[in-house]
Amino acid sequence: MNNAIYNFPVPQNEAVLNYMKGSPERIALEKELQKQMSQKIEIPLIIGGKEIRTGDTGTVCMPHRHSHVLATYHKATEKEVRLAVEAALNAHKIWSNLTWTIRASILLKAAELISTKYRAVINAANMLGQSKNFYQAEIDSVCETIDFLKYNTYFAGKIYEIQPRSAYNQLNRMEFRALEGFIFSVTPFNFTSIASNLNMAPVMMGNTTVWKPATSALLSNYYLMKVFMEAGLPDGVINFVPGKGSLIGNTVLKSPDLAGLHFTGSNRTFNQLWSQVAANLSAYKSYPRLVGETGGKNFIFVHPSADAMEVAVNAVRGAFEYQGQKCSAASRMYVPESLWPAIKKLILEMTNDIKMGDITDPYNFMNAVIDENAFDTITSYIDFAKNSPEAKIIAGGFYDKSEGYFIRPTVIETVNPKFKTMEEEIFGPVLTVFVYKDNDMENAIDLCDTTSPYGLTGAVFAKDRSAVVHLCEKLRNATGNFYINDKPTGAIVGLQPFGGSRASGTNDKAGGEFNLIRWVSPRTIKETFIPATEYRYPYMLE
């Protein structure tokens, strides 16, 4: 038996490849894109390691060319959901007792497979199915996925090292058990890496999952599942269950063995799931762990000492990369009157220059929003601004869904700091700006803090260091991730653990040990070497 105490080294974050014309990675990716576009695959459920086809199917289409079908997928019925729960519980008996370094080795092998053999496959599926350009796909589906897998093994080791002191005549130790039951993982469309982590973080700590993937991310998620299996993940540890969210959720949440929910998505859905769990509390063996990252109404606050170019570039990137469909995307901005003319001019130049279209054209900075429902929701906000006397659209405002779900980067200027698009999450390429008077900055800071119910990310721009300190303190509860002179997006695993509070979730910080510790149930074990043999204490014997 190998009884070594192993410490995984601090990982190096996966290098982002450049995809320059003629580079090996560019050639491989373009070849894979053509391959996946020329075929239509079938995506089954995968439960207990077995592929299941229900015959009730749907289609996976390209958002930027919605007439093009990439795959058909099978939808779960209640029968398959119950089967997935049973498979997860059966796998738990072995997986939770497996040496943690063996679990870690499977995660590390999956990371290497994605970095090498499947890099082009995962990237191409992410680009085609979720409409990401070369760079956005690379940083998400490959680099961040790998970083989550590697850092989770490192942070797990740090957690297992946490042990109590022992005193005279005793030995104390802490056992970090997996939760008793299974984890329900509900994953979003916008980040393939999050889909991976919402399963693999609990799995690293010995848990098993029932996975409800977003329908609009099924292609990349299916390939992820295949990679996990090739890496050696035992049957039933993760059960891949596409289908209708309400049907799957209603069935899963009735199980007395529900041990936790790992979620990223909308507030409405998370609140509904939380309410269902609360209603079923008396039926559960344990109180389920509820971990969720939900909405955001992320801000950029500009101080009069800021540099106009730095603000403009980061506003454009923060608001319009991946069509604004990042939980952290900049959606509202507060700008001093003295700087607005310069910043406005630069933003207009950049947004007018942005190219938008098919993901196969590397010169397109933006692509399509995810589906028709998202398109209709986003454009309703644009139309509202067009018809309001309190706002004017100064950039973009145009959209077309005839071929793909395309919306031009849109900038709204409003005179009302409580305007609808300053308060509500839009989740699309829309940035609303409120211009404040320089001598009224304190009121503008208060508006920034109190206008939105969310608390995910925010950025401040200032050259004045004392102003940065002041803004950081005044806005301390407004965000879970706070950026100084940078866009409010792009958190890197291991460097900026990610999550927010208020209406943005439970702030359990994906990409750090905080998240992993939610997936263990510690047991303290005390061993006394020589037990007491007299019930009375010494002074009672005098």
Side-chain angles (χ1 to χ4, degrees):
M1 176 184 290
N2 182 354
N3 58 6
I5 298 174
Y6 192 81
N7 294 305
F8 288 95
V10 181
Q12 294 293 317
N13 291 91
E14 180 73 8
V16 179
L17 301 185
N18 289 320
Y19 292 89
M20 301 298 288
K21 189 174 183 179
S23 65
E25 65 267 19
R26 173 79 167 269
I27 293 169
L29 180 55
E30 290 180 335
K31 181 179 178 182
E32 183 63 29
L33 285 167
Q34 291 302 317
K35 176 184 175 183
Q36 291 191 25
M37 284 192 292
S38 66
Q39 63 187 15
K40 185 169 75 172
I41 68 168
E42 183 182 22
I43 300 176
L45 288 71
I46 301 177
I47 297 173
K50 296 181 174 61
E51 295 187 353
I52 295 176
R53 293 165 174 81
T54 64
D56 181 9
T57 61
T59 58
V60 176
C61 302
M62 297 195 297
H64 45 277
R65 199 184 311 157
H66 47 62
S67 62
H68 188 126
V69 176
L70 295 164
T72 59
Y73 71 95
H74 290 261
K75 302 176 186 178
T77 69
E78 284 190 28
K79 174 186 173 183
E80 286 75 40
V81 179
R82 288 193 295 268
L83 190 63
V85 169
E86 183 181 348
L89 294 174
N90 288 335
H92 186 279
K93 298 170 187 174
I94 298 173
W95 183 250
S96 63
N97 289 310
L98 204 61
T99 303
W100 77 273
T101 52
I102 295 177
R103 297 199 301 263
S105 70
I106 293 173
L107 268 70
L108 293 174
K109 182 172 181 178
E112 291 304 316
L113 286 169
I114 293 168
S115 179
T116 54
K117 181 178 178 181
Y118 291 104
R119 194 181 202 107
V121 173
I122 296 290
N123 266 338
N126 181 274
M127 293 171 70
L128 294 170
Q130 291 145 272
S131 203
K132 291 198 175 187
N133 63 29
F134 285 37
Y135 179 76
Q136 296 299 319
E138 171 76 3
I139 62 174
D140 164 28
S141 59
V142 168
C143 295
E144 188 166 294
T145 302
I146 292 169
D147 289 348
F148 273 130
L149 292 166
K150 289 185 175 181
Y151 270 98
N152 281 347
T153 65
Y154 169 72
F155 287 129
K158 294 299 179 186
I159 291 170
Y160 292 136
E161 284 180 357
I162 300 171
Q163 292 296 323
R165 291 176 57 252
S166 293
Y168 173 75
N169 194 35
Q170 64 185 226
L171 175 65
N172 299 316
R173 52 197 170 94
M174 189 80 79
E175 177 187 3
F176 293 95
R177 303 169 296 180
L179 302 185
E180 189 178 11
F182 68 94
I183 309 301
F184 182 33
S185 61
V186 181
T187 65
F189 79 83
N190 57 340
F191 279 91
T192 299
S193 56
I194 295 177
S196 172
N197 190 58
L198 264 56
N199 287 282
M200 292 302 255
V203 160
M204 178 61 236
M205 307 312 289
N207 299 281
T208 58
T209 72
V210 174
W211 177 12
K212 163 60 180 79
T215 299
S216 44
L218 274 180
L219 190 64
S220 66
N221 289 188
Y222 172 64
Y223 284 123
L224 266 184
M225 183 66 189
K226 300 288 279 186
V227 169
F228 297 154
M229 294 170 72
E230 186 171 331
L233 193 72
D235 295 346
V237 172
I238 296 177
N239 298 279
F240 181 76
V241 188
K244 188 175 180 181
S246 58
L247 182 149
I248 296 170
N250 289 340
T251 306
V252 165
L253 299 182
K254 290 175 183 176
S255 171
D257 294 295
L258 177 71
L261 167 67
H262 208 188
F263 176 91
T264 294
S266 72
N267 290 82
R268 181 182 59 80
T269 302
F270 190 52
N271 292 348
Q272 181 180 351
L273 292 170
W274 192 301
S275 297
Q276 288 179 263
V277 169
N280 292 332
L281 276 181
S282 61
Y284 298 133
K285 291 179 180 177
S286 306
Y287 288 102
R289 301 283 176 87
L290 305 181
V291 175
E293 194 251 295
T294 56
K297 191 65 181 175
N298 312 296
F299 64 81
I300 295 175
F301 193 94
V302 183
H303 184 265
S305 68
D307 179 89
M309 179 60 81
E310 292 174 358
V311 173
V313 167
N314 285 281
V316 169
R317 282 189 170 185
F320 303 130
E321 286 183 326
Y322 191 44
Q323 299 76 259
Q325 297 174 123
K326 298 183 180 183
C327 308
S328 55
S331 187
R332 56 190 172 114
M333 187 160 73
Y334 301 82
V335 184
E337 194 173 47
S338 59
L339 278 182
W340 179 230
I343 292 172
K344 179 179 178 179
K345 178 176 182 293
L346 292 166
I347 287 178
L348 292 182
E349 289 174 355
M350 294 176 204
T351 53
N352 289 332
D353 185 61
I354 284 175
K355 292 180 172 60
M356 183 173 68
D358 195 291
I359 54 91
T360 56
D361 183 346
Y363 298 103
N364 287 329
F365 182 83
M366 289 176 61
N367 309 106
V369 298
I370 193 66
D371 57 26
E372 187 170 21
N373 184 57
F375 179 93
D376 292 343
T377 299
I378 297 163
T379 55
S380 71
Y381 282 95
I382 294 173
D383 291 342
F384 179 84
K386 284 179 180 179
N387 296 315
S388 172
E390 295 182 320
K392 58 181 176 180
I393 293 176
I394 61 173
F398 307 108
Y399 47 83
D400 182 3
K401 63 178 179 181
S402 58
E403 181 178 354
Y405 304 113
F406 293 106
I407 303 173
R408 287 293 303 175
T410 298
V411 181
I412 300 168
E413 183 180 350
T414 182
V415 295
N416 177 7
K418 300 281 189 176
F419 191 64
K420 182 176 182 177
T421 62
M422 290 289 285
E423 290 186 323
E424 298 180 12
E425 184 182 39
I426 302 173
F427 220 67
V430 180
L431 174 66
T432 304
V433 180
F434 173 71
V435 180
Y436 68 87
K437 293 187 181 300
D438 291 46
N439 61 5
D440 197 25
M441 187 180 71
E442 291 304 311
N443 184 50
I445 296 172
D446 290 338
L447 284 168
C448 182
D449 185 31
T450 60
T451 295
S452 163
Y454 300 101
L456 190 53
T457 75
V460 298
F461 281 82
K463 294 294 185 185
D464 183 335
R465 189 66 201 182
S466 63
V468 169
V469 173
H470 179 63
L471 287 163
C472 192
E473 177 61 28
K474 289 277 287 186
L475 297 169
R476 70 177 307 175
N477 292 313
T479 74
N481 284 59
F482 190 80
Y483 295 81
I484 299 169
N485 294 323
D486 199 358
K487 59 186 171 68
T489 63
I492 298 175
V493 176
L495 304 184
Q496 298 103 26
F498 186 79
S501 54
R502 293 183 174 172
S504 290
T506 58
N507 202 15
D508 286 293
K509 294 299 186 205
E513 59 268 58
F514 309 98
N515 183 280
L516 289 181
I517 209 162
R518 295 299 308 276
W519 308 117
V520 293
S521 178
R523 178 168 70 149
T524 302
I525 301 172
K526 174 190 175 184
E527 179 181 355
T528 298
F529 299 128
I530 303 177
T533 57
E534 169 62 62
Y535 85 90
R536 291 169 294 184
Y537 292 97
Y539 71 87
M540 296 177 180
L541 300 175
E542 291 181 344

